[in-house]
Amino acid sequence: MIDANLDYIAQESAFRHIHPGTKLFLALGSLILCLISPTPVVPLISGIIMSLVLILPGRLSPAQYGKILLGPAIFIIMSTIVLLFMLGGGNVIWRFQPVPLIDLSITTESVRISTLTLCRVFGCSVSLFFIALTTPMTDLFNSMKRTRVPIELIDLMMIVYRFIFIFYEQAVEIWQAQVMRLGYSRPTEAVRSFSRLCGMLFISSWNAGEDLVRAMDCRCYNGIFPSLDLAEPIKIKSLITVTIYLAALFGILVVMTPGIMVFL
Amino acid sequence: MHIMEGFLPWQWCIVWWIAAIPFLVMGTIQLRRIIRKDREYLSLLGVCGAFIFILSALKLPSVTGSSSHPTGTGLSTMCFGVFITSIIGAIVLLFQALLLAHGGLSTMGANMVSMAIGGPLAGYAVYYLLRNTRVNIYITVFIVTTVADLVTYIITSFELAIAYPAQTGGILSSFEAFFIIFAVTQIPLAIIEGCVLTLVFKYIVALKSDILIKLNVFSEDQISRASHNEDQIVHLEIQ
């Protein structure tokens, strides 16, 4: 089920009224810098700073933020353990050979790559969360319109977005009714109940689509959904702050990467 | 099962985005053509996209004790074809990243190639081979959805393997390791998803078969034959 809907948090964010372009510039800029960084320092610094920005001036509850980070954290810890044993190169730090065919070893190179991956996932995930936790989807649709994304795609996204919450409520209601009637008490019963839930959802979604067509026709739909763009104008002060932050992060990347000066 | 934000090196993010873009372009062109022909398809596709998003957010009952989420792309590829499914899949992946923190933007290309392109492409190939044969439509639906799911997992394992080749054995050994880890839970889950979507299909045939006829998923004759068989089973059960 949907445990945490980030869009609700974005609507309440203290950064809600900053121009989406500035927020996207900051988040995508730091995401790219974290991604290309060959050292774990840059994503680590970016992740910590962006988290502090979200919690302190962004007024996001630390408990809520921790809960959001927990999902990717479990996955990345498991993946790092796999990488630690699978990758090789360098000197062997630790070796375990329970039976002749199984040889588990950790090397210096596997530790380096695993640490880099761990920090990169942290830095990039926080950058993604920055967009998700500060910019509501409606603002992103307006930004897409300004960047000339095909209008059909944006309209399709808007319909999908509109109906996600309606169907989710329907699904939860059916789910709860089924649970109350012991619909998930046995594995075979669970498969049958779940199939009925999905089947009913598909049919009701189709009916909702047909109703939407009629409703749009009544309102003279001519292929374009006009929507009100209430974005605040770009503020030079916030844009300069973001540019300085990204330039500083890039500076750290250059300093920490031997050999990068050759390309610059 | 999506690759999370930042997990792939940047070179592979670019490669998978480049691989996904032609499908997105083709999907957009096809979407534009369909909407011009019949305006009501936009809203129908929209609600189907929302349906797939909700389907992928629901926990699938699992016999292995773990839980996973259906992809729903098998059903979509039979209803709308590969290119439209790639567009719907891309939108679902974007919303999953931004609303649920599943997947990511840099890894969206890789996730699109596995879930929105590779899986549906394999599913559609099976559907194309079986749709005009005498194979029961429910068996066709089961095979299509299971294959689409399994191919999604195979491609994801491959994407991870080429990004992180093992020291001994290289990409093949790494692929083996990732696939074995996923296979423990994902093969039973793919089979369960096949069963679930076959039953979903059965309910659609029983309650609103005109949707399937309108979308030309199966011929009117095949659907009436399937619903006739169901009536006979119900009749026997009552007797």
Side-chain angles (χ1 to χ4, degrees), chain B residues 46-111:
Chain B
V47 292
C48 287
F51 167 76
I52 291 172
F53 179 89
I54 294 297
L55 202 66
S56 63
L58 296 173
K59 277 179 188 159
L60 198 69
S62 162
V63 285
T64 55
S66 65
S67 75
S68 191
H69 312 273
T71 59
T73 49
L75 197 65
S76 173
T77 196
M78 283 188 294
C79 293
F80 307 112
V82 176
F83 293 118
I84 296 288
T85 301
S86 69
I87 289 286
I88 294 177
I91 293 172
V92 168
L93 284 168
L94 180 72
F95 283 160
Q96 281 180 340
L98 293 174
L99 298 177
L100 307 174
H102 294 172
L105 297 180
S106 65
T107 53
M108 205 174 126
N111 289 329

Side-chain angles (χ1 to χ4, degrees), chain B residues 165-181:
Chain B
Q167 188 199 9
T168 46
I171 294 171
L172 204 67
S173 164
S174 178
F175 173 74
E176 224 173 274
F178 280 115
F179 188 70
I180 288 168
I181 294 166

Side-chain angles (χ1 to χ4, degrees), chain A residues 242-260:
Chain A
V242 168
T243 312
I244 291 170
Y245 167 73
L246 290 176
L249 207 60
F250 183 68
I252 298 168
L253 175 68
V254 172
V255 170
M256 296 297 293
T257 316
I260 200 169

